[in-house]
Amino acid sequence: MTDTSRVAVVTGAGRGLGAAIATDLHAGGHRVALLDLDGEAATAAAKALDPAGESAVGVAVDVRDPAALRDAFDQVRSSLGVPEILVNNAGRTVPRPVWDIDLDEWDDVLATNLRSVLIATRELAPAMRDRGWGRVVNMASLAGQQGGLVAGAHYAASKAGILVLTKIFAKELAAAGVTVNAVAPAAVRTPVMDAMDPGQLERSLATIPVGRLGRADEVAALVGFLCTEAAGYITGATVDINGGVFMR
């Protein structure tokens, strides 16, 4: 896949899906900023893409902190240029029964997963609108479509909120050439699954029509496509990638 070289920002890019998405965008010719709470992981992932640091940089940031996020974007502008692609991927997953979630944990999960999408998009999308081109992709989840599933209610609620926020921003920005879409993965092999009970994982695998778990690079390729010129007529959409677990 080739496309005009742009500056892309991926949050939660130190590992897992975020790192895979950053890798795909970089392979597509983009300059990529990898943001993560774990600055060392973000830097290591960026160096793996470009040891010289000219087309990939890692930035340590807590997406729950609006001021820190704005400072991180300033670093990106200084090192790579003005971002025209934003992938809101940062997230926190806490499997816990709804009855056992304390309010501080609820607020923290929503601040990480949902509020950060609002802040990051409001910070970067105006410049995209002014330039007449931009791509925003928000990472949702099957949990936000069907309920908590394995993840906690706060995680599911945050991902459901992302679906609505995606539509709102899509309507606001469509006329300016900026698309905003959500991607809803499920049954994808990520580091989060390492903590799952093997028996539970096996039972989950049996419910997947394609008969296997998804791969991070498959999700990344979908996100990468939504960031291309060819995807300019897709906006406000939630694109499922779940092996047939949820069909509609």
Side-chain angles (χ1 to χ4, degrees):
M1 179 183 67
T2 60
D3 203 17
T4 302
S5 178
R6 313 233 182 224
V7 175
V9 172
V10 183
T11 66
R15 58 180 60 81
L17 284 180
I21 291 166
T23 298
D24 186 272
L25 291 171
H26 190 264
H30 301 302
R31 290 161 284 164
V32 183
L34 295 80
L35 277 56
D36 203 281
L37 182 62
D38 185 341
E40 292 184 0
T43 299
K47 286 185 176 179
L49 298 179
D50 177 17
E54 296 177 354
S55 61
V57 296
V59 180
V61 64
D62 185 344
V63 298
R64 297 169 298 184
D65 183 340
L69 200 49
R70 295 183 188 106
D71 288 344
F73 293 150
D74 285 341
Q75 292 182 48
V76 174
R77 294 184 188 101
S78 297
S79 57
L80 297 179
V82 178
E84 292 180 284
I85 295 170
L86 168 63
V87 180
N88 286 303
N89 171 74
R92 182 184 177 198
T93 306
V94 185
R96 198 184 309 283
V98 66
W99 310 105
D100 298 334
I101 300 171
D102 66 54
L103 294 182
D104 286 341
E105 183 177 277
W106 175 277
D107 290 344
D108 186 73
V109 169
L110 264 73
T112 302
N113 298 6
L114 180 58
R115 191 180 69 178
S116 67
V117 174
L118 173 70
I119 296 169
T121 305
R122 292 203 303 194
E123 283 294 313
L124 297 186
M128 300 179 193
R129 180 183 58 205
D130 293 344
R131 293 160 76 99
W133 196 96
R135 298 287 184 265
V136 179
V137 180
N138 300 321
M139 299 307 296
S141 169
L142 177 63
Q145 298 168 310
Q146 292 196 331
L149 303 176
V150 175
H154 38 9
Y155 176 84
S158 70
K159 295 300 184 178
I162 285 173
L163 300 182
V164 175
L165 200 55
T166 295
K167 295 175 183 178
I168 291 170
F169 275 121
K171 289 177 182 177
E172 291 285 330
L173 298 166
V178 181
T179 67
V180 186
N181 293 291
V183 170
V188 177
R189 175 50 108 171
T190 64
V192 173
M193 288 188 174
D194 294 339
M196 286 181 62
D197 174 78
Q200 184 182 46
L201 191 59
E202 189 67 26
R203 289 190 294 274
S204 297
L205 186 61
T207 68
I208 304 171
V210 301
R212 66 172 177 86
L213 293 172
R215 303 190 310 271
D217 66 289
E218 292 174 314
V219 179
L222 172 57
V223 174
F225 170 71
L226 291 174
C227 294
T228 64
E229 296 281 354
Y233 201 57
I234 304 171
T235 197
T238 297
V239 185
D240 301 331
I241 178 166
N242 56 38
V245 172
F246 176 46
M247 301 183 186
R248 55 178 177 153

